[in-house]
Amino acid sequence: MTTRRLSVLDRSFRPLYVVWELTLACDQPCSHCGSRAGSERPSEFSTQEALQVVAQLATMGTQELVLIGGEAYLHPGFLRITAALAERGIRVLLTTGGRGITDELCQQMKAAGLAQVSVSIDGLAERHDLLRANRGSFAAATRALTLVKKAGLVATANTNLNRLNRDDLEALYEQLRELEISSWQVQITTPLGRAADRPDLILQPYDLLDVLPRLAALKERAYRDGILIMPGNNLGYFGKEEALLRSLRLDGVDHFSGCQAGRFVLGIESDGAVKGCPSLQTAHYVGGNLRNSTLSAIWESSPELSFARARTIDDLWGFCRDCHFAAVCLGGCTFTAHAVLGRPGNNPYCHFRARSFAKLHQRERLVPVEAATGLPFDNGRFAIVVEPIDAPEPASLAPRQLLQIRRLQNPRPTDAP
């Protein structure tokens, strides 16, 4: 990672969009959780400490902020922090698994100034509950969407797509449409955190050849239904459906324009650690801590945050280095590339790349070669195997993996939502 002073031009970059992990405490033991949430981090920020951060965010020009966890509502200062952000003119959103969402909490969030709630729904009931390792999780999540709408909050959904739930895509849309969501974000499950422990769960790069056209067809249908489907930053890139998927309108011409971590995006962990993106690997991308530095100092001087501002084609390698879209894409999503190959700059999760190999009657398959460490936002490492496109297909999810997930499910009555 190159260390350099920021130029005057660099100061045009601002943390316009911030994702803030208020606590790592969580009420669900999700089997694909990138942060391995469950218990709170040591030395998490108190409410008073968090309120001091609010003032700094406003000064830095933050426009929209997403509160996450764990479960953000488990932080004792959740509502006070929400209100403080809203009072500063920052649009506040919540991303949640929905288990603890009640009618009373929705009313309190609305009164505090929360604008929007995105509920994570990862497949139909059976598969969602398997991934969340919690019986009744799907019922709780869908109920949460109903309560959110009832309270007058904007209700949206988000989905992590993987080999367990990819066949649910169209049927899941039907259910979300019935729940009258306004938008749906779909991203791929990255081998990060607990998902790194379950490599059979992860999509193979060539699975994009099936998934992206289906998602594009759903987007066209959803637009007519008044629902906006958008891909996450790790789902793409530059296949023939790129403009359709990235644009707000069906006739749009938007496209992926490189990793925005540390450019216009910021992530804050619950103990004050600052990263350019909330999903970036903690061990490699924390640029400082708000307990002993200001946000502006970290933003302006930390190489761990400024890497995307300085990235050029010369930082790319492998297929991405010589790609036709290299100067624009710059290797796609940083945390995804790092999670797969141990460093950024070469990202096999690319629709254009998968199509390019398919034209040669080949495909890339990822094979795990190094296990993750077991810490929040950690990753293992994979090797790329290039093989004939009609090579025998690995099982979607090995029976042992399903058994492992099922064993995580706690059948005790206290697990009921």
Side-chain angles (χ1 to χ4, degrees), residues 40-45 49 270-272 291:
E40 63 183 41
R41 294 178 188 270
S43 303
E44 290 193 339
F45 265 30
E49 288 175 308
S270 57
D271 58 1
R291 275 210 168 94

Side-chain angles (χ1 to χ4, degrees), residues 40-59:
E40 63 183 41
R41 294 178 188 270
S43 303
E44 290 193 339
F45 265 30
S46 67
T47 301
Q48 288 303 318
E49 288 175 308
L51 292 175
Q52 294 175 12
V53 176
V54 170
Q56 296 184 58
L57 289 165
T59 300

